[in-house]
Amino acid sequence: MAAATPKLPVYGYDMVDVTLTANPGDLKGVKRVLVDGLATQGECDMMLDLAQVGAKPDIEGSHWYSEYEIFEGLEVLQAAQLAQQGAVPIDSAEKLLTLSDKARRFVLGYFGLPELFLTYTHLVCRTADANSTDDRTDLSHPVHADNCQLDLSDFSCPQVHPLYTPRHYSAVLFLNDGFKGGEFFFAHNKNFSAQSRVKPKCGRLVGFSSGEENLHGVQAVLSGRRCVIAMWYTMDRRYREESRQEARKLLQSLQKPLETKSEL
């Protein structure tokens, strides 16, 4: 008889299909969790289409992390502005907001936090370029922690500016597979080797606390295109993602004319 799929407490009406895949012990660390079912295939496809139109190279350039990969991203307000321009469906920009908020509510509930706010949301794709080979030894994203600056000289991780921000939890919602490489991994302290690995697939989410207890990185994307929604959270409401509120207001203003027209 096959083992029953572990169920989680329902943290909202839209969480009923979310199932536990790995707990902190399985992931060989603390304050880590891996779940499946946080997004449907249709929702992942919407986000992939949105990224195809709207994701652009970062301000640092298209090869920011690896000379063999093109790095592109899209923020929530940028998505809403694309919807305003008619470049993407309003529903797609709205789905980026709702999926990232669903992930926030899951992290809030699973870790039993009193409150949690999104501080930054980024729809990100990494695409292997024509020079990528299977024998690459670089990483798609080097080992790091999300709320401190890793010092390789002594392996300390001080919370210093400009890299420090008040991030308390992080999450990555994977949107696809079908590429080669690109595994997320938690890293051992001091030698940075992989402690546990996460294979991306649509709807899979890894959530974790953002400190040096959860060093992590991304293996090289050897071929194809890997897309995720990367999210960082704060427990301090002063650092909430302001552009998120702007995006919500803009999308609401775009939906009102549609609703008025449908009533005529």
Side-chain angles (χ1 to χ4, degrees):
M1 178 181 294
T5 302
K7 295 293 183 180
L8 292 165
V10 178
Y11 301 118
Y13 71 93
D14 53 350
M15 301 284 185
V16 292
D17 294 324
V18 177
T19 56
L20 179 66
T21 302
N23 60 32
D26 299 324
L27 295 170
K28 301 177 182 178
V30 298
K31 294 186 179 180
R32 304 173 180 176
V33 66
L34 183 68
V35 296
D36 282 310
L38 201 117
T40 66
Q41 185 62 57
E43 291 171 330
C44 288
D45 290 343
M46 287 179 70
M47 294 299 93
L48 294 173
D49 289 344
L50 177 61
Q52 188 66 34
V53 175
K56 302 298 180 185
D58 190 271
I59 191 172
E60 299 290 340
S62 61
H63 290 77
W64 189 13
Y65 291 107
S66 169
E67 62 179 308
Y68 301 103
E69 295 177 23
I70 298 169
F71 178 88
E72 298 171 305
L74 180 69
E75 300 176 6
V76 289
L77 182 55
Q78 292 171 331
Q81 290 167 341
L82 287 173
Q84 183 184 38
Q85 297 163 12
V88 301
I90 296 173
D91 288 349
S92 296
E94 178 70 28
K95 185 61 68 175
L96 178 57
L97 287 173
T98 57
L99 279 178
S100 53
D101 187 62
K102 182 179 180 181
R104 179 195 64 81
R105 289 185 287 109
F106 172 78
V107 172
L108 171 75
Y110 182 83
F111 291 109
L113 306 173
E115 57 184 0
L116 194 66
F117 307 96
L118 273 151
T119 186
Y120 189 50
T121 307
H122 208 194
L123 173 56
V124 173
C125 294
R126 290 175 162 85
T127 307
D129 69 15
N131 296 315
S132 178
T133 59
D134 287 356
D135 60 352
R136 283 170 52 192
T137 58
D138 66 316
L139 294 175
S140 179
H141 198 141
V143 173
H144 64 284
D146 286 340
N147 75 353
C148 55
Q149 183 175 354
L150 192 58
D151 187 336
L152 299 182
S153 66
D154 61 2
F155 303 104
S156 63
C157 202
Q159 294 179 331
V160 296
H161 292 285
L163 294 184
Y164 169 67
T165 55
R167 296 169 174 172
H168 299 107
Y169 284 83
S170 308
V172 178
L173 175 59
F174 302 101
L175 299 174
N176 67 322
D177 52 17
F179 49 86
K180 191 171 184 179
E183 287 187 339
F184 175 99
F185 66 95
F186 288 108
H188 286 286
N189 223 336
K190 298 194 175 180
N191 67 9
F192 299 164
S193 62
Q195 187 178 49
S196 57
R197 300 175 186 269
V198 173
K199 187 173 179 61
K201 61 180 286 190
C202 168
R204 175 165 287 177
L205 178 131
V206 59
F208 49 96
S209 58
S210 301
E212 60 186 296
E213 70 279 2
N214 280 321
L215 298 181
H216 58 283
V218 178
Q219 296 286 347
V221 178
L222 302 175
S223 64
R225 182 174 173 88
R226 174 193 189 270
C227 296
V228 307
I229 302 176
M231 295 156 284
W232 294 270
Y233 310 106
T234 180
M235 296 175 68
D236 188 334
R237 65 175 59 243
R238 294 175 299 172
Y239 297 98
R240 287 179 294 182
E241 188 176 31
E242 292 183 5
S243 60
R244 190 176 192 83
Q245 304 307 316
E246 295 179 53
R248 177 70 69 188
K249 290 178 181 178
L250 178 54
L251 290 173
Q252 287 174 345
S253 71
L254 296 175
Q255 289 167 341
K256 285 180 181 179
L258 295 176
E259 294 169 358
T260 302
K261 184 176 180 179
S262 66
E263 293 170 359
L264 296 179

